[in-house]
Amino acid sequence: MNKSALRRKYKKPAVLEAIFEAKFTFESFGIATPGQIYEKIKNNYPNKRDIRHVPIFLESSGNTEQMPFLVQAPLIQARKEDDSELLQVGPGIAVANRLKYTSWEDFIPGIRTILDAYICSAKPKSVTRIGTRYINCFLLPQGTIDIKDYFNLDVQIPPTLFGLQQFDLTFVNKLKNVSDQSGQDFDIRIRFFTDALKPDEVGNKLILDLDCYVNKDFKPDIEEITNLATQAHDTLEIVFENIITDKARDIMGVEECTAH
């Protein structure tokens, strides 16, 4: 993969949503932990919603005590008033969602907020997974299009199977960290698929879902976690630029280019 010498900013970025996710061991996560976390974030993220899961209980050997919250999924969500960000927490999981994306630098404070609240309240012994994900949406012109004009991902269909209306492709790669010399391996999951148009839209809608993550067991440290998430972001930035073509860039409108 070519490492781009330039970092591009776009007038109309294709990003629908940016997501940060950290997974932890959750031996100290209790019934009161979600509430304790919310108390730490509620001033900036006041709109709270509880998420209900089918309860799963594990009966401890030798007594009747039962432990809930075995599903590693968010139990609460907290949004900013302007709906620009969403934080989510559950047993062994902390998530930050940037719903109105501007830049990675603007996203980091939300990531630090949920990490600080989770680590201080849940007191996990270790982190097990760090991931950064970008969901991008492209609305292409109406009519027949040649996908490879916009993306360096081609869909080859035999002539006898004409009239393709939808597709859903997933690629999984392992790549070396591109932002420093640490040699850290990242797993990259690329999903490329068609999506339904909204009533006011015309053309062809394609979703480019990029997920970069590392499975690594280490002590919870906000600086190290944030650093890994930033490395994942930098890797995805280069993956994204290698996938799209100038025609796709024209749709977004290149605002400026700066050297890495």
Side-chain angles (χ1 to χ4, degrees), residues 113-157:
T113 296
I114 195 59
L115 286 174
D116 178 68
Y118 187 93
I119 292 171
C120 289
S121 301
K123 297 178 172 58
K125 290 184 178 179
S126 63
V127 188
T128 59
R129 184 184 187 275
I130 300 296
T132 300
R133 180 181 174 193
Y134 280 82
I135 302 173
N136 304 277
C137 177
F138 290 87
L139 186 61
L140 305 185
Q142 189 172 12
T144 303
I145 60 168
D146 193 338
I147 292 172
K148 65 177 179 293
D149 287 345
Y150 297 87
F151 304 95
N152 294 313
L153 297 171
D154 197 10
V155 181
Q156 296 292 333
I157 303 297

Side-chain angles (χ1 to χ4, degrees), residues 102-229:
T102 51
S103 69
W104 178 252
E105 290 74 20
D106 291 340
F107 190 18
I108 286 178
I111 293 172
R112 287 182 176 274
T113 296
I114 195 59
L115 286 174
D116 178 68
Y118 187 93
I119 292 171
C120 289
S121 301
K123 297 178 172 58
K125 290 184 178 179
S126 63
V127 188
T128 59
R129 184 184 187 275
I130 300 296
T132 300
R133 180 181 174 193
Y134 280 82
I135 302 173
N136 304 277
C137 177
F138 290 87
L139 186 61
L140 305 185
Q142 189 172 12
T144 303
I145 60 168
D146 193 338
I147 292 172
K148 65 177 179 293
D149 287 345
Y150 297 87
F151 304 95
N152 294 313
L153 297 171
D154 197 10
V155 181
Q156 296 292 333
I157 303 297
T160 52
L161 300 178
F162 59 89
L164 175 68
Q165 296 182 359
Q166 297 180 348
F167 65 84
D168 190 335
L169 305 174
T170 300
F171 310 88
V172 179
N173 299 78
K174 188 175 289 291
L175 297 177
K176 290 289 184 183
N177 178 6
V178 296
S179 62
D180 66 18
Q181 303 301 315
S182 67
Q184 174 68 60
D185 283 342
F186 283 103
D187 288 298
I188 311 287
R189 186 186 63 82
I190 301 168
R191 188 178 171 213
F192 185 47
F193 60 98
T194 52
D195 196 20
L197 295 170
K198 294 179 181 178
D200 60 339
E201 293 177 333
V202 294
N204 304 274
K205 185 185 287 186
L206 299 179
I207 303 296
L208 182 60
D209 184 346
L210 305 175
D211 191 6
C212 181
Y213 55 93
V214 58
N215 296 305
K216 182 179 180 181
D217 199 315
F218 61 98
K219 290 184 178 180
D221 178 83
I222 293 176
E223 292 303 322
E224 185 171 358
I225 294 170
T226 305
N227 183 47
L228 276 173

